[in-house]
Amino acid sequence: DMMQDVLIKLTKNIKKLTVTALFCALAFLMTFVFRFKVGFLTFDFKDAVISVLSLLYGPVYGVISACVVAFLELISVSDTGMYGLIMNIISSATFALACGTVYKFKRTFSGAIISVVTAVVTVTAVMMVANIFITPFYMGVGRGDVIALIPTMLLPFNLAKAIINATSLLLIYKPVTSALKRTGLVINDGGKKFEFSKKTLIMSIVSVIILALAVAFVIFKLGGSFSFLK
């Protein structure tokens, strides 16, 4: 009856809010558990965590969560003020939006690959534009000085950051969502239970290799540093 339908819908919404709050908390935790730093640029694994929501519930959940986590970072661990808030929102929201939009229309193994590749390309391009127009105000330099940093610092940094988050997302999405389905927090859509098939295993191995290479590039080529629990 109508009351039962209302209760079912309410239960679904409560579960969605619970999972969303859980992942926002985990993404926020990533901002000071693991952190990479290259010059004045920093990044962590929060975009991968936020984008789990984007793939699970759609891009709107990912974008809203990106804004919430960026604000929490602003009032806690951030040392870049409003500049950091704006750049964090642009970066995380773009990544989550690109992932979630593609995957929404192609919820398959290949769709997941296409979604993260799209996210990598999109967020890298968007961050180049954002750096050109916003970074001069933060650094107190001319736009030409920032543009000069694109090939040596800004482009490789943002590309490596996007690749690290994309490969991390590919590694955690299915295991994490399958675990949530077993707890009942996420409704089982009738799909196959997660297991390491041949193609999943290959994808995981390739993702780990690419992730390791991207991390090595940030640390050794870009002269970055890595901090844990700091």
Side-chain angles (χ1 to χ4, degrees), residues 69-114:
V69 175
F71 178 74
L72 290 174
E73 188 174 355
L74 171 69
I75 62 176
S76 57
V77 297
S78 176
D79 57 3
T80 53
M82 290 304 297
Y83 165 82
L85 174 68
I86 294 169
M87 296 299 273
N88 271 326
I89 289 176
I90 293 173
S91 177
S92 298
T94 299
F95 191 91
L97 179 63
C99 279
T101 301
V102 174
Y103 195 66
K104 181 178 180 180
F105 296 101
K106 193 174 178 62
R107 300 183 71 85
T108 61
F109 180 83
S110 62
I113 303 296
I114 295 170

Side-chain angles (χ1 to χ4, degrees), residues 112-190:
I113 303 296
I114 295 170
S115 70
V116 297
V117 171
T118 301
V120 168
V121 174
T122 303
V123 77
T124 302
V126 168
M127 291 311 294
M128 290 305 95
V129 176
N131 274 288
I132 290 171
F133 287 97
I134 299 174
T135 300
F137 296 102
Y138 172 72
M139 295 181 66
V141 298
R143 189 160 293 144
D145 296 318
V146 174
I147 292 174
L149 291 174
I150 288 178
T152 59
M153 185 179 187
L154 297 177
L155 177 58
F157 172 86
N158 281 285
L159 181 59
K161 171 186 174 181
I163 289 172
I164 288 170
N165 276 297
T167 50
S168 299
L169 177 58
L170 285 176
L171 288 169
I172 68 174
Y173 178 67
K174 276 298 182 180
V176 168
T177 54
S178 293
L180 288 171
K181 287 176 182 178
R182 288 195 294 272
T183 66
L185 280 173
V186 172
I187 297 173
N188 198 319
D189 53 11

Side-chain angles (χ1 to χ4, degrees), residues 53-68:
L53 288 171
S54 198
L55 297 186
L56 187 59
Y57 295 137
V60 172
Y61 278 83
V63 171
I64 292 174
S65 299
C67 296
V68 170

